Amino acid sequence: MDRSAWIAGELAEWPTKTVMAQLLQKAGLRVHVGQYSIQIGIGGGADFSFQEYGGDLGKPTVCADADSAEELMREAKIVSDVLATVKLRHRFEIYDHRPDMAGYLHYDWPLIHE
């Protein structure tokens, strides 16, 4: 199924995969830690994960999509709030099917218009 909304995001500094999983779990989120990913169970319809996490793959990537930008925004806000609580500098841009930016979540990473 082709999802209508997706995310572009990054963290300024990535904690280890183990530390990230612990932070998310402490906040009450369900996580599944794979060899190269952390999948986050929020309870809605969005799929949210940190991919390519571990080993010599380079920096992890934020991967998330949902059927609507509103749904993705709600669920991405939960993850963003967890990261902000522990002061992990990050940004999440939510795009819809047009593809227009439909939302922006961040901690200490203001949106710069050029």
Side-chain angles (χ1 to χ4, degrees), residues 30-51:
R30 293 183 327 272
V31 299
H32 176 269
V33 179
Q35 185 173 2
Y36 297 110
S37 68
I38 298 174
Q39 298 168 340
I40 304 165
I42 299 172
D47 294 320
F48 201 109
S49 63
F50 298 120
Q51 299 287 328

Side-chain angles (χ1 to χ4, degrees), residues 71-112:
E71 179 179 47
L72 184 53
M73 186 73 174
R74 273 191 313 273
E75 297 190 27
K77 183 171 182 348
I78 293 168
V79 177
S80 179
D81 287 349
V82 170
L83 299 179
T85 298
V86 296
K87 301 188 181 335
L88 282 175
R89 189 171 170 250
H90 68 279
R91 70 180 182 87
F92 297 154
E93 296 175 1
I94 288 74
Y95 290 91
D96 62 17
H97 64 281
R98 291 183 199 86
D100 293 330
M101 190 188 311
Y104 184 71
L105 300 166
H106 74 96
Y107 172 74
D108 198 26
W109 201 315
L111 181 62
I112 299 172

Side-chain angles (χ1 to χ4, degrees), residues 58-72:
K59 285 187 176 180
T61 59
V62 179
C63 298
D65 61 14
D67 291 332
S68 71
E70 295 79 16
E71 179 179 47
L72 184 53

